[in-house]
Amino acid sequence: MVVSVRSWVANEGGKHLVLMLWLGANTWLFVKTFLLYSTGQQYYYLYKMLGLGLCISRASASVLNLNCSLVLLPMCRSLLTFFRGTHTVSSRKTRRLLDKSKTFHVACGVAICIFSVVHVSAHLANVVNFSVSFSDDFPALNLARYRGEMFSLRLPCSLIGCFSSVPGVTGVLLVLILFLMFTSASNYEIFWYTHNLFIVFYIILMVHMVGGALKYQTNIMAHPPGCFRMNQSSSAEQGEELKQHEDGERRCREEAHFQPHYPQTWLWVSAPLCLYCAERFYRYIRSSDPVTIVTIIKHPCDVMELRMLKKNFQARPGQYILLNCPGVSSFENHPFTLTTCPTENKETFGIHLRVVGDWTERFTQLLLPQPKIDVEVLPVVQQRRYPKVYVDGPFGSPSEEVFNYDVSLCVAGGIGVTPFACVLHALLDGWTGFRLQRLYFVWVCRELQSFYWFAELLCALHHKLWQENRPDYFNLKLYISQEDRLQSMSEEKYGPLASRLQVGRPRWKLLLDEIGRANKQKRVGVFCCGPKGISRTLHRLCNSACSSGTTFEFNKESFS
Amino acid sequence: MGKIEWAMWANEQALASGLILLTGGIVGVAGQFRGWQFAAYGVAAGVFVCLLEYPRGKRSKGTSVARTGQYCFTVCVKAFGPLTRNYYVRAFLHAAICVPGGFMLATVLGCVCLGIASLIYLAAAIRGEHWEPILPRTETQRKPVPPSIKNPPSNPPPRPPPEMRRKRVDDLEGAAYDNPIPVTANEY
């Protein structure tokens, strides 16, 4: 597959531009701070003492400041949903960049880890240099208590020195918290609990520089660094300076005064932190109303549909919510895409959830009535007691853009069909109001039974569009990936589905070629929600050349 | 939720602490700190911990994702049998390894992180978990093919007797017959 420049730029250009800007900002900040400390007049004596370690540690500290402030911004989900929805960001290209907010967050996190390592290593070198280059001329500048402190005793007095200063203690605590926070998402609960230590991290970060060890010179005008000082202990260097400055051009008028920096991190970090805390508070207030559960429907293949009702709840097709059920676990929030949004006629909204892990298993056990085998079941109406459920959201997702293309291709794998189910419901309600003129819908499942989750919805939409004389609007293709036996839907009412059902995996190249031929010179939005294999193949195909001049823009929905 | 697999978390933390110990040791040796022997020990201990912790164990519930290229490490670690299988042994081993790191500034972070990982391993061991190697699936574990596909069909498809099938050029209309089983063209 030849990568076409135009397709690549359309798909990847925006992301890579933001990446370049971010890398550029980090590099510029690093170099600027490095040069400030290596050539700045107020750091002249300190640099002579500590050398490169000073510059590297301060430069990495400023990069850390930048990344610690940026890392919070992509996680303000309500704010991003607002940007997506109100079209304040009017260009579709810019809205597509919002899809990658989690990737940006991870990139900033990785940068924080790497530069923390650099920062700590450089400060270790600084501790040694403070002791080796103990300055007799400027005692105020020293951190060590005497020359060779690091090497004098066997016991780790450097450790004691480190732990007796605020930067030392806070530094160790910060590294420990980072260490705990960066467990991978292999275990969701641990990840969630340790990641919420971020607030402790930020509080400690803001006091990290109190009582700083690195001092700058305050009186550069009165005492130009490197000036000739009388009554100094002799050294070869002073002898040379005597010869050079015998005319007394640069005499020190006074002693050098030093002052430690006061903390600057709060300048960088406080605004994003306040924004994020405000966002969390807003989300907490918004989700404090429990929802009313209206119905529970059991579907084949371990899927349950849950219909709920909540006051003042509005959502757009493609958005997702976070469910919290204190009866199962008090602190866990699990994301589920909405499959029906509330409309003017119908206020309920629904989700389809697949029973996969502990939380979903326990949740469905609480919702469904327990089968009583031993007791004689008399026809008595029992009051169904549903557990309390809180809903946080809705939050935006890439699938909201389906309506903003002329032609869209939606590829769903298994339970990944849920965002598109909401889109189909919206089309069923009224397909004329959108920019969308044609929708290709490909749904790949392992088993035939899975198609029954939305069989009625698909047939209803198909019939409606045929009745209203737009048969080319909705093009459906269903695939069963398990090839061991021939299967088909036997019901009469699902006839349109049975004739569009194929056994075997779809051949994506042929599919994209067919769509390209039918929509020449157009921009087709490709939306994929499914396993990694499918999305990788589709991404590669969207970046490669298409003979009919069609551009495929790839949008991936990650089920995070 | 009571179903957290502590060993998975402990494994991640121990691998990270091994790397931190290694980095601290390298810095200590390169900077020729006093007590650089501890830093050299930190390098060796860090490498050892990384090698021990690189192969991920198998989850008791759910799919386990192996790290890239971990198969040879899995074989080595498995060869030690109960020493590596038991998490009590690992917890005490990590606790013992981390102690000498605490004597030097460069390796103290690695020491504390490894200590935390050792505590999590202790929690895992108390809950009764143990290390299972992730081995590639063997041929016998593949799903058995349903019996209907194994043997080729024993009977020919139903056809009318040969008299009818012989081509009758003179009476083409009468030669036509209906297939008992409907035949459709292959559609892709």
Side-chain angles (χ1 to χ4, degrees), chain B residues 95-108:
Chain B
I97 289 178
C98 83
V99 168
F103 287 107
M104 204 190 132
L105 182 59
T107 48
V108 75

Side-chain angles (χ1 to χ4, degrees), chain A residues 435-453:
Chain A
R435 182 179 162 180
L436 184 68
Q437 296 302 311
R438 189 175 283 172
L439 177 65
Y440 291 88
F441 190 74
V442 175
W443 189 7
V444 185
C445 279
R446 269 210 203 110
E447 295 162 346
L448 181 71
Q449 297 294 314
S450 315
F451 293 120
Y452 287 100
W453 303 334

Side-chain angles (χ1 to χ4, degrees), chain B:
Chain B
M1 296 281 332
K3 299 284 177 61
I4 298 175
E5 289 206 34
W6 295 86
M8 292 289 131
W9 183 30
N11 173 266
E12 308 264 342
Q13 299 294 155
L15 188 60
S17 359
L19 289 172
I20 295 177
L21 196 55
L22 178 63
T23 314
I26 290 176
V27 169
V29 169
Q32 287 291 303
F33 285 29
R34 169 76 171 189
W36 62 270
Q37 293 92 343
F38 286 111
Y41 164 81
V43 172
V47 170
F48 172 71
V49 167
C50 285
L51 289 177
L52 176 63
E53 296 293 338
Y54 188 72
R56 234 184 229 144
K58 205 161 158 183
R59 276 182 190 271
S60 55
K61 225 173 80 153
T63 41
S64 329
V65 178
R67 292 194 178 110
T68 21
Q70 83 166 34
Y71 180 62
C72 36
F73 296 101
T74 313
V75 168
C76 297
V77 171
K78 187 166 162 260
F80 285 92
L83 276 182
T84 43
R85 212 165 164 263
N86 191 321
Y87 283 142
Y88 279 110
V89 171
R90 274 205 205 193
F92 291 125
L93 181 68
H94 286 322
I97 289 178
C98 83
V99 168
F103 287 107
M104 204 190 132
L105 182 59
T107 48
V108 75
L109 277 174
C111 157
V112 178
C113 294
L114 198 53
I116 293 178
S118 141
L119 285 174
I120 309 176
Y121 262 128
L122 193 63
I126 291 174
R127 290 203 47 230
E129 298 174 20
H130 55 264
W131 188 79
E132 284 285 337
I134 300 181
L135 294 167
R137 274 194 318 178
T138 51
E139 289 292 317
T140 51
Q141 289 179 20
R142 217 183 288 163
K143 212 171 61 167
V145 180
S148 63
I149 301 183
K150 274 197 191 137
N151 301 316
S154 46
N155 293 321
R159 279 177 234 156
E163 306 84 58
M164 281 191 71
R165 274 184 285 138
R166 211 168 288 131
K167 191 162 179 186
R168 288 188 286 181
V169 185
D170 44 350
D171 185 10
L172 281 173
E173 288 284 324
Y177 61 88
D178 282 320
N179 279 318
I181 295 179
V183 172
T184 52
N186 282 341
E187 283 166 1
Y188 288 106

